[in-house]
Amino acid sequence: MNDLIRPSRVVEVLKKFGLAPHKGLGQNFLVDAQALEKILAAADIQGNELIVEIGPGLGTLTRELAKRGRFVVAVEKDKKLTPVLTETLADYTNVQVIVQDALEVDWEDCLKGQPPPYKVVANLPYYVTTPLLMGLLESRVVFSRLVFLVQQEVALRMQAKADTPEYGALSLAVQYYAEVKVKAVISPRAFFPPPRVSSAVVELKVRECPSFFFGLKDERLLFRLIRAAFGQRRKTLANSLTAGGFLRSQVLEALNICHVPPATRGEKLDLAVFIALAQTITRLREE
Ligand code: SAM
């Protein structure tokens, strides 16, 4: 039994090191064995895998990752937690703790010399979920799976389908890179201190080469299109794409070829249509 999952033990450890949870760093420590089990079930770690953990905190999840995987690289921003992690992870020789802001990590550089397969498993600090997630998806390292505990509302946005209130640029970006599934909803009571909102375990099965998978020629153009379409949500697509720097004549022609009425709004279109539009604009530019 991992004693760090007990709320009384978390309080004891914090007291011993003279620490208090740092709100600004999103320190809500996991204190629920069932929630921990749900993360591990979604992660489905194999003995040959290298696991990246962001924000090990007191080392509760880290220990479980180390028991299951080949090696764990844990990136923690709060250097005050170093003596805690040195003690709680003393028996785990396959863990490397890196004290750094995970937003500043070059993942390719960080994992140099470590053979794949790689996965990421983390109870994320909520204030940086989106940039951390996009940094991982856009890096050239292929993580086969990302399993995160995030705010439930963010998990629903990641998984959302077109024409629903949660749908937006984040849904499209994440669904381009990965197959997304919300695996479990976790109550605030599973954390110390409890956050104000519910959380969810979300699993992202990452596509090895999304541009090849979708037969897409110009990935950057797709993301420019998505940003433009959602940058000005209330505008029609014809107007928002033109305002986003696309040539109006090419926008109108591409919308026509893809059977999208120019007065449609971005939130009505699914990823397949955005990809078709990107491909068409690329072709029109080449003509
Ligand atoms: N993994 C632990 C657990 O499950 O109990 C702690 C999770 S807590 C929600 C988030 C952790 O991320 C904290 O330890 C916090 O210090 C760390 N953190 C916050 N911002 C970070 C950043 N930018 N880079 C790396 N770690 C960060």
Side-chain angles (χ1 to χ4, degrees):
M1 159 78 172
N2 183 341
D3 63 337
L4 288 170
I5 201 68
R6 289 204 318 264
S8 58
R9 182 75 184 121
V10 167
V11 172
E12 205 177 285
V13 170
L14 289 170
K15 193 168 166 209
K16 175 174 173 188
F17 288 90
L19 299 172
H22 190 306
K23 207 173 165 195
L25 284 174
Q27 288 180 358
N28 301 98
F29 302 111
L30 204 55
V31 289
D32 183 292
Q34 280 180 0
L36 182 60
E37 274 311 314
K38 285 176 183 162
I39 299 174
L40 293 166
D44 188 26
I45 296 166
Q46 307 299 313
N48 64 336
E49 290 171 338
L50 180 140
I51 313 298
V52 170
E53 185 190 7
I54 293 166
L58 308 180
T60 318
L61 174 60
T62 325
R63 283 179 170 180
E64 300 305 318
L65 303 176
K67 281 182 209 161
R68 291 162 175 77
R70 178 184 93 233
F71 196 75
V72 179
V73 174
V75 183
E76 173 57 61
K77 183 173 177 182
D78 187 357
K79 58 176 185 296
K80 287 189 182 152
L81 292 173
T82 307
V84 181
L85 290 166
T86 304
E87 184 173 299
T88 58
L89 300 175
D91 293 339
Y92 299 82
T93 52
N94 60 339
V95 179
Q96 179 192 10
V97 176
I98 299 176
V99 182
Q100 196 181 344
D101 183 338
L103 286 173
E104 287 167 8
V105 174
D106 175 333
W107 297 110
E108 206 176 359
D109 219 36
C110 174
L111 299 177
K112 205 173 274 164
Q114 290 278 10
Y118 309 125
K119 277 182 183 166
V120 182
V121 184
N123 171 13
L124 281 184
Y126 293 165
Y127 76 106
V128 278
T129 299
T130 304
L132 271 173
L133 170 65
M134 292 317 296
L136 289 162
L137 290 172
E138 286 166 3
S139 87
R140 293 198 337 193
V141 177
V142 179
F143 297 103
S144 62
R145 195 180 295 197
L146 312 178
V147 173
F148 294 131
L149 194 50
V150 294
Q151 273 178 308
Q152 185 185 13
E153 174 244 319
V154 178
L156 294 177
R157 276 169 47 209
M158 288 184 199
Q159 192 189 235
K161 296 285 169 234
D163 209 12
T164 61
E166 293 84 14
Y167 188 64
L170 179 71
S171 329
L172 281 159
V174 174
Q175 289 168 32
Y176 173 73
Y177 286 108
E179 249 179 76
V180 188
K181 248 192 213 138
V182 174
K183 301 292 280 186
V185 174
I186 308 289
S187 145
R189 288 193 305 274
F191 303 89
F192 174 82
R196 271 181 294 125
V197 291
S198 289
S199 304
V201 177
V202 62
E203 171 199 280
L204 280 72
K205 284 189 183 160
V206 183
R207 301 184 218 287
E208 207 162 303
C209 182
S211 58
F212 179 76
F213 180 84
F214 289 113
L216 182 68
K217 261 188 152 177
D218 188 345
E219 202 169 72
R220 284 180 53 203
L221 190 136
L222 171 71
F223 282 94
R224 271 190 59 211
L225 264 182
I226 294 172
R227 269 198 303 277
F230 288 91
Q232 306 191 307
R233 252 188 126 100
R234 284 187 316 260
K235 281 195 177 175
T236 65
L237 263 178
N239 289 340
S240 61
L241 297 184
T242 310
F246 290 90
L247 262 183
R248 191 168 183 87
S249 57
Q250 280 182 356
V251 166
L252 291 175
E253 194 173 348
L255 289 172
N256 183 35
I257 292 170
C258 297
H259 308 289
V260 179
T264 313
R265 290 175 210 286
E267 64 249 37
K268 300 276 178 202
L269 306 188
D270 64 15
L271 179 61
V273 180
F274 272 105
I275 287 173
L277 281 173
Q279 291 288 67
T280 309
I281 292 177
T282 306
R283 190 168 49 74
L284 291 174
R285 285 177 171 183
E286 285 167 351
E287 278 174 11

